[in-house]
Amino acid sequence: RVVLVTVPGEEEGVKIARKVVEEKLGACANIVRNVRSIYSWKGQVCDDPEVLMVIKTTAHRFESLKGRVRELHPYDVPEIIALPVLAGWDPYLDWVRKETEG
């Protein structure tokens, strides 16, 4: 799985990314700076700078990852979206599976 999570800043992203990798909930996390999010929240259109985390994990570990991100995340309703990986380079996918065994 590829899991997308937005956070308000790089510091929060690094904190969450380190925890999920240390706890083997994700094999790795990329932090993408300079994301601009335009969204509706409580009846208003918001326009905020954010950071996007792209976390690689397995379907088996997703529920645990989702729960841990929720615990660590500063937002009331964080974006936590899992996308299926339909294909990939087998050695990389094997590495993701190995790193998330737990």
Side-chain angles (χ1 to χ4, degrees):
R1 297 284 187 260
V2 171
V3 181
L4 306 177
V5 178
T6 52
V7 292
E10 190 169 353
E11 187 175 313
E12 290 92 347
V14 169
K15 181 181 88 169
I16 293 170
R18 284 190 174 280
K19 284 286 188 188
V20 301
V21 170
E22 287 170 358
E23 296 173 11
K24 295 198 169 282
L25 300 173
C28 78
N30 306 110
I31 297 181
V32 183
R33 298 178 186 158
N34 300 322
V35 172
R36 182 174 179 181
S37 295
I38 300 169
Y39 57 97
S40 176
W41 181 249
K42 296 185 178 181
Q44 294 186 339
V45 175
C46 303
D47 187 339
D48 292 311
E50 291 188 299
V51 171
L52 174 65
M53 289 191 303
V54 181
I55 305 168
K56 276 66 96 194
T57 192
T58 60
H60 174 73
R61 296 299 274 166
F62 174 69
E63 289 300 320
S64 296
L65 171 68
K66 180 175 68 172
R68 188 63 168 130
V69 168
R70 180 65 194 99
E71 290 171 2
L72 297 167
H73 206 288
Y75 292 167
D76 292 335
V77 182
E79 172 187 354
I80 306 170
I81 297 174
L83 305 173
V85 174
L86 301 178
W89 190 46
D90 288 335
Y92 182 81
L93 299 176
D94 290 341
W95 173 78
V96 170
R97 282 187 283 274
K98 179 180 174 274
E99 291 302 314
T100 56
E101 290 174 350

